[in-house]
Amino acid sequence: MTNKLPYFTEGNVVKGFGRGSKELGIPTANFPIEIVQQLPEEITAGVYYGWAQVDEGPVFKMVMSIGWNPYYKNTVKSMETHIIHKFKEDFYGSNLKVCMLGFIRPMRNFSGLDELISAINKDISDSEEALDKPENIKIKTDNFFATKSRNTQSSSGATCCI
Ligand code: ADP
Ligand code: RBF
Ligand code: MG
């Protein structure tokens, strides 16, 4: 898994499972299935930390969950990014760039929603700490985040790569 990191990818933010992660205070921006399928198999299911950018906005810290969310027994693999920033508005349809830098833990099951939320809050603080390290801070200014996005979205909502 580690030899594939850092891993850079980008895609349009799509509707997720609509389970109200937002109501829990932990909204997650979901990637389309094509982006999930492009993941190298060495990047195993679990929680990762890194940097994220919505369109040409600022680069923020993020935590990402990859897998089948055992707590919800999902049948579809997902890649969900929680950006550690308070946004005024939703950004469905926007381009999301991410750089995954490190692995935090494998996906696991929980006996209650409270436990899942506490685990995610611990992931957020672990990510914040890891991203303050000089070798991780330097990726924030990588050219990947300075160049225009490869994805554009037409008014029909279709995504095309240029
Ligand atoms: P869904 O099931 O559609 O993914 P969520 O409850 O997970 O719904 O909310 C995700 C949406 O919330 C994102 O697509 C984005 O538009 C918005 N959002 C607002 N703040 C954030 C944030 N800090 N991190 C990720 N998404 C956010
Ligand atoms: N879901 C799980 O079933 N098990 C997990 O270990 C797990 N870890 C997560 C870690 C992070 C940082 C995030 C953002 C999500 C995680 N999820 C996990 C996904 C969670 O079930 C999903 O975002 C729900 O929709 C939250 O209500
Ligand atoms: Mg989501």
Side-chain angles (χ1 to χ4, degrees):
M1 156 248 304
T2 29
N3 65 336
K4 289 285 171 180
L5 298 179
Y7 182 76
F8 295 85
T9 192
E10 65 181 301
N12 288 111
V13 176
V14 297
K15 279 263 172 199
F17 305 100
R19 266 194 227 103
S21 326
K22 216 180 285 171
E23 281 73 38
L24 304 175
I26 314 162
T28 60
N30 291 55
F31 272 127
I33 189 74
E34 307 85 78
I35 304 295
V36 183
Q37 285 165 349
Q38 277 164 22
L39 271 179
E41 62 181 84
E42 292 86 344
I43 298 189
T44 52
V47 181
Y48 292 80
Y49 63 82
W51 299 105
Q53 181 187 38
V54 178
D55 294 328
E56 273 92 52
V59 179
F60 296 114
K61 291 175 175 178
M62 66 82 168
V63 264
M64 186 192 284
S65 137
I66 297 180
W68 291 266
N69 300 3
Y71 182 73
Y72 291 100
K73 302 185 173 55
N74 284 352
T75 51
V76 179
K77 189 179 183 183
S78 67
M79 241 172 122
E80 305 178 38
T81 305
H82 172 68
I83 303 174
I84 308 174
H85 174 75
K86 201 144 177 52
F87 289 86
K88 287 201 192 78
E89 284 173 356
D90 285 353
F91 46 84
Y92 288 109
S94 293
N95 189 70
L96 176 65
K97 283 185 177 181
V98 295
C99 173
M100 292 155 57
L101 287 171
F103 179 79
I104 300 181
R105 64 174 174 89
M107 283 276 100
R108 47 163 292 207
N109 204 346
F110 296 92
S111 48
L113 201 52
D114 288 358
E115 277 187 31
L116 171 64
I117 296 169
S118 312
I120 296 176
N121 283 325
K122 164 98 172 34
D123 296 331
I124 293 172
S125 47
D126 287 353
S127 163
E128 294 207 86
E129 200 180 306
L131 289 164
D132 282 335
K133 293 186 179 152
E135 69 265 32
N136 290 330
I137 290 176
K138 75 171 196 272
I139 310 288
K140 192 178 175 179
T141 51
D142 190 280
N143 201 34
F144 171 71
F145 293 115
T147 49
K148 232 181 144 39
S149 127
R150 280 188 292 118
N151 293 303
T152 53
Q153 200 175 42
S154 71
S155 51
S156 69
T159 306
C160 58
C161 257
I162 48 170

